[in-house]
Amino acid sequence: MGEARDGETRKADTLAMLATQAIDVWVATASAAGAPYLVPVSLAWVDERVVIAVDGSSTTARNLTASGQARLGVGPTRDVVMIDAVIEKAVDVAADDVLGEAYVAQADWDPRRSTGYVFFVLRPVRVQAWREANEIAGRTLMRDGTWLV
């Protein structure tokens, strides 16, 4: 186990991970009845927002629309970024060219070539990052939508 990173280094590493080309994210949502649902999708980091594209009729889309929130996991278990996020907006993938271009530039596919897909723009409200047990303390980098470091 290496030395624990300081907060500034963790934040820089987190932002670098979120900007990685063709990075994927696990999106956890829940139904109105509380049934959990977890799915991996491509991520784009655009203007400090997580952007995902999902079929508008999918369980993920229904859960996000109903609850307005999700928990996201990026990276392997020994270098993880966990994000609690709320929906800032949902838009048909064909309706926002700027968002579409930004998404395609980072993601490894273009959902605009499919029908029924929606972009969800998720605003982080809490961000945590850690590698090993020695980084559990200080893992919260953002709270209530404000960076702590």
Side-chain angles (χ1 to χ4, degrees), residues 37-123:
Y37 192 74
L38 181 68
V39 63
V41 297
S42 297
L43 169 151
W45 182 246
V46 180
D47 298 327
E48 296 221 348
R49 301 296 188 260
V50 172
V51 180
I52 61 170
V54 297
D55 186 301
S57 64
S58 68
T59 300
T60 300
R62 288 192 309 272
N63 289 351
L64 281 170
T65 301
S67 72
Q69 60 187 347
R71 184 154 172 87
L72 313 170
V74 182
T77 57
R78 294 189 186 264
D79 189 12
V80 68
V81 175
M82 299 298 297
I83 302 170
D84 294 325
V86 295
I87 294 176
E88 190 167 89
K89 72 177 181 175
V91 59
D92 183 276
V93 295
D96 189 328
D97 289 337
V98 173
L99 187 59
E101 290 302 317
Y103 182 86
V104 171
Q106 183 177 351
D108 59 350
W109 74 293
D110 188 346
R112 298 172 299 179
R113 294 184 180 155
S114 302
T115 58
Y117 274 77
V118 175
F119 286 126
F120 282 92
V121 179
L122 304 169
R123 180 177 52 82

Side-chain angles (χ1 to χ4, degrees), residues 8-30:
E8 289 295 330
T9 302
R10 272 193 231 194
K11 180 181 176 184
D13 290 349
T14 294
L15 293 173
M17 182 185 290
L18 293 172
T20 300
Q21 196 71 21
I23 191 85
D24 294 322
V25 59
W26 288 95
V27 179
T29 60

